[in-house]
Amino acid sequence: MDKWKRSARLVDMTQLLLSQPYKLIPLTTFAERYLSAKSSISEDLAIIHEVIHNEGNGELETLAGAAGGVRYIPKVNKAYADDILSALCKRLSDPKRILPGGFLYLSDLLGDTTLIQDIGRIFATLFRGQKIDAVMTVETKGIPLAHATASFLRVPVVIARYDYRVTEGSVVTVNTVSLTSKRMRQLSLSKRSLAEGSRVLIIDDFMKAGGTVQGMIHLLNEFQAEVVGVGVMMEAPAVERVVDQYVSLTSVKTMDIKNQRVEVEFGNFQL
Amino acid sequence: MDKWKRSARLVDMTQLLLSQPYKLIPLTTFAERYLSAKSSISEDLAIIHEVIHNEGNGELETLAGAAGGVRYIPKVNKAYADDILSALCKRLSDPKRILPGGFLYLSDLLGDTTLIQDIGRIFATLFRGQKIDAVMTVETKGIPLAHATASFLRVPVVIARYDYRVTEGSVVTVNTVSLTSKRMRQLSLSKRSLAEGSRVLIIDDFMKAGGTVQGMIHLLNEFQAEVVGVGVMMEAPAVERVVDQYVSLTSVKTMDIKNQRVEVEFGNFQL
């Protein structure tokens, strides 16, 4: 195989690094792949870092030493994130979303793969720099968001389920109370799905009083796991809230079912 | 803003194209962004195409004319796909996965974001070149696979649900029979989630007799939608199968519960 030209190397390295966030790639891997000197590889990495960093899309982090290498830490460009979330607030404020019972229809947004990738990138940016072993969510609607976030953090996803399923093996179950509907439900997590002592980021689509998030926290306690943070796409006003530490991307400010008006603004996140 | 150097342009274009599969980007967008002549942009695109294509990772497709531009069509490198699926078969053949009732524990695999991205890319490669408006799956375990596949095809995901939920608005419901358990279940799809006449790719984690997939096909009939294809991560032997057109990535060849042996091989896919 021939030595690669710098232009081809830059394209290939960009592709390899950006498609594998947080994966440490030894410089030797690049040097061998391109039959190039490590000094040339380092120059290439400096160019890639500069472009990504200047665009606000993250950075390349270089770790020295025998176990060293370079990895891509994704971030979201603040102006881009503001645009994405402004557009999301506008879509959420559409009165056609109001469903009987005062729920908002979200399934189209949660099925929009481009939006979900963007939100995953925003959550990964908000919780970066913390040691995270897994992202947890509850079936069903939180799953796409949890997966998108976890893929940018390069960690696995664990899913708590409302009903016991034969396909989960042995499970740990806790009782959870929806403070909105006053209904009791059981929430289970497969014993095999999470190692004891894991550091876990909770991600969900929607939070009102926080009963579901609290249920997930109780489950995590059973696994001696630690909650690193809680991120929700949308929060709704609640008289009483059982979870006080959370990051919301959007927040329902007004919900007037009688006059079919809903107003959604930015949540409490700080980018 | 200054004119960009070729090296920086290549990194930035690679990033923009590869992070947005199937999105058509007009050459003018690049020319304006980099203050460069279209001829330089075309040369850059040729370099990017060559690297991606030679690595088996897809291609850049250029569409001429006023509405033209360039877009990235992702593909999977065959050798890489074979490695991924061989490793998957090995993980699936672990007897510790056998659960009471002859089920296999899959949740760890379906939570492995790197694996799920790879499988999504493989499905997107297998069904590329077809007009696809949406990817459909059924809650819960198929969701990560459906989202990964759809993100590489740049189409939305629609999720059929077993129980009627208030958060779905009006739904269409069909009855479905599990040929394995002989149990009847209802499967619903929100009316708003799919336009009539859509062309839909069905993706699921597991198929035995195909009752669930058949239920999804019945639902799609109610929406006058067309099934473009069916892709499953794993098929299991069935005495009688109600779906005969499907692509499987892996296939359970032996399942001996008494002696705790399971053997999983490649499915019927043709890359």
Side-chain angles (χ1 to χ4, degrees):
Chain A
M1 190 175 167
D2 289 339
K3 195 167 177 310
W4 289 48
K5 284 192 186 153
R6 160 150 290 166
S7 53
R9 261 188 351 236
L10 282 169
V11 171
D12 195 63
M13 287 168 85
T14 302
Q15 175 183 217
L16 284 172
L17 286 159
L18 270 57
S19 65
Q20 304 176 91
Y22 284 93
K23 166 111 180 251
L24 193 69
I25 305 177
L27 294 203
T28 329
T29 304
F30 290 125
E32 285 168 4
R33 182 174 172 89
Y34 308 124
L35 304 175
S36 299
K38 280 201 190 173
S39 56
S40 308
I41 300 295
S42 293
E43 284 169 33
D44 296 344
L45 291 172
I47 294 169
I48 297 172
H49 171 77
E50 206 193 331
V51 173
I52 296 169
H53 185 73
N54 288 349
E55 293 301 309
N57 289 331
E59 51 212 28
L60 295 190
E61 189 182 76
T62 306
L63 303 177
V70 61
R71 59 182 194 168
Y72 167 54
I73 312 289
K75 267 192 218 167
V76 74
N77 173 318
K78 190 181 176 328
Y80 181 77
D82 283 351
D83 283 351
I84 294 297
L85 295 178
S86 298
L88 176 59
C89 288
K90 208 177 152 195
R91 288 171 79 180
L92 286 169
S93 300
D94 179 351
K96 292 198 204 78
R97 295 196 175 275
I98 300 174
L99 295 172
F103 292 95
L104 282 188
Y105 181 76
L106 300 178
S107 299
D108 59 328
L109 303 171
L110 297 170
D112 178 337
T113 47
T114 309
L115 175 65
I116 293 302
Q117 291 286 315
D118 283 332
I119 294 180
R121 201 180 176 96
I122 293 170
F123 276 133
T125 305
L126 289 167
F127 293 102
R128 79 181 182 284
Q130 307 205 51
K131 193 183 165 316
I132 294 170
D133 298 312
V135 171
M136 182 189 205
T137 193
V138 67
E139 60 177 338
T140 297
K141 297 219 302 294
I143 298 174
L145 291 171
H147 263 267
T149 305
S151 71
F152 283 110
L153 293 167
R154 202 179 181 79
V155 297
V157 175
V158 296
I159 300 175
R161 304 192 65 163
Y162 282 117
D163 309 302
Y164 168 74
R165 311 284 167 123
V166 285
T167 55
E168 297 297 313
S170 314
V171 297
V172 174
T173 301
V174 299
N175 285 309
T176 158
V177 181
S178 165
L179 299 164
T180 314
S181 66
K182 303 283 174 213
R183 199 155 58 109
M184 283 269 281
R185 294 183 89 174
Q186 296 193 313
L187 204 58
S188 301
L189 186 63
S190 169
K191 273 193 169 177
R192 315 189 181 193
S193 68
L194 195 66
E196 286 213 347
S198 296
R199 293 176 53 88
V200 178
L201 171 63
I202 293 175
I203 294 288
D204 209 354
D205 60 323
F206 173 79
M207 187 177 99
K208 198 167 178 175
T212 305
V213 169
Q214 196 188 35
M216 284 193 266
I217 294 172
H218 286 167
L219 263 179
L220 289 176
N221 290 343
E222 295 294 322
F223 284 81
Q224 273 83 50
E226 203 173 321
V227 182
V228 176
V230 175
V232 297
M233 183 178 83
M234 186 174 83
E235 63 168 309
V239 182
E240 184 196 359
R241 189 162 274 153
V242 290
V243 173
D244 48 9
Q245 296 267 16
Y246 63 91
V247 174
S248 62
L249 301 185
T250 67
S251 176
V252 180
K253 293 297 173 191
T254 316
M255 167 77 95
D256 178 349
I257 302 175
K258 202 173 140 205
N259 297 303
Q260 292 281 301
R261 264 192 71 230
V262 51
E263 249 181 300
V264 180
E265 296 174 4
F266 277 14
N268 67 10
F269 73 94
Q270 297 285 341
L271 257 181
Chain B
M1 193 174 169
D2 290 340
K3 194 168 177 311
W4 289 49
K5 283 192 187 156
R6 160 150 290 166
S7 53
R9 259 187 351 236
L10 283 168
V11 171
D12 195 61
M13 287 168 85
T14 302
Q15 174 183 218
L16 283 172
L17 286 159
L18 270 58
S19 65
Q20 305 176 91
Y22 284 92
K23 166 113 181 249
L24 192 68
I25 305 177
L27 293 204
T28 328
T29 303
F30 290 126
E32 285 169 3
R33 182 172 170 90
Y34 309 125
L35 305 174
S36 300
K38 279 201 190 175
S39 55
S40 309
I41 300 296
S42 294
E43 285 169 33
D44 296 345
L45 292 172
I47 294 168
I48 297 171
H49 171 77
E50 206 193 330
V51 173
I52 296 169
H53 185 72
N54 288 348
E55 293 300 308
N57 288 331
E59 52 213 27
L60 296 190
E61 190 181 75
T62 306
L63 303 176
V70 60
R71 58 182 194 166
Y72 167 54
I73 313 288
K75 267 192 218 165
V76 76
N77 173 317
K78 193 182 174 326
Y80 181 76
D82 283 351
D83 284 352
I84 294 297
L85 296 178
S86 298
L88 177 59
C89 287
K90 205 176 155 196
R91 287 171 79 181
L92 286 169
S93 300
D94 179 350
K96 291 198 205 80
R97 293 195 176 277
I98 300 174
L99 295 172
F103 292 94
L104 281 188
Y105 181 75
L106 300 178
S107 300
D108 59 328
L109 302 171
L110 297 169
D112 178 337
T113 47
T114 309
L115 174 66
I116 294 301
Q117 290 286 314
D118 283 331
I119 294 181
R121 200 180 177 95
I122 293 170
F123 277 133
T125 304
L126 289 166
F127 294 102
R128 80 181 181 284
Q130 309 205 49
K131 195 186 164 315
I132 295 171
D133 298 312
V135 170
M136 183 190 203
T137 193
V138 66
E139 61 178 338
T140 297
K141 299 221 296 295
I143 299 174
L145 291 172
H147 262 268
T149 305
S151 72
F152 282 109
L153 293 168
R154 202 177 181 80
V155 297
V157 175
V158 296
I159 300 174
R161 303 190 65 161
Y162 281 116
D163 309 301
Y164 168 75
R165 311 284 167 121
V166 285
T167 54
E168 297 298 312
S170 315
V171 297
V172 174
T173 301
V174 299
N175 285 309
T176 159
V177 181
S178 164
L179 299 163
T180 314
S181 66
K182 303 282 174 215
R183 197 155 61 109
M184 285 267 283
R185 294 182 90 176
Q186 296 194 313
L187 205 58
S188 301
L189 185 62
S190 169
K191 274 194 167 175
R192 317 189 180 192
S193 67
L194 195 66
E196 286 212 347
S198 296
R199 293 176 53 86
V200 178
L201 170 63
I202 293 175
I203 294 288
D204 209 355
D205 60 322
F206 173 78
M207 188 177 96
K208 198 167 177 176
T212 305
V213 169
Q214 196 188 34
M216 283 193 267
I217 294 173
H218 286 167
L219 263 180
L220 289 176
N221 291 342
E222 294 295 322
F223 284 80
Q224 274 82 51
E226 203 173 321
V227 182
V228 176
V230 175
V232 297
M233 184 179 84
M234 185 174 86
E235 62 167 310
V239 182
E240 184 197 0
R241 189 162 274 152
V242 290
V243 173
D244 48 9
Q245 296 267 18
Y246 63 91
V247 175
S248 62
L249 301 185
T250 68
S251 177
V252 180
K253 294 296 173 194
T254 315
M255 167 76 96
D256 178 348
I257 302 175
K258 202 171 142 204
N259 297 303
Q260 291 281 300
R261 263 192 71 230
V262 52
E263 249 181 301
V264 180
E265 297 174 3
F266 276 13
N268 66 8
F269 73 95
Q270 299 284 341
L271 254 183

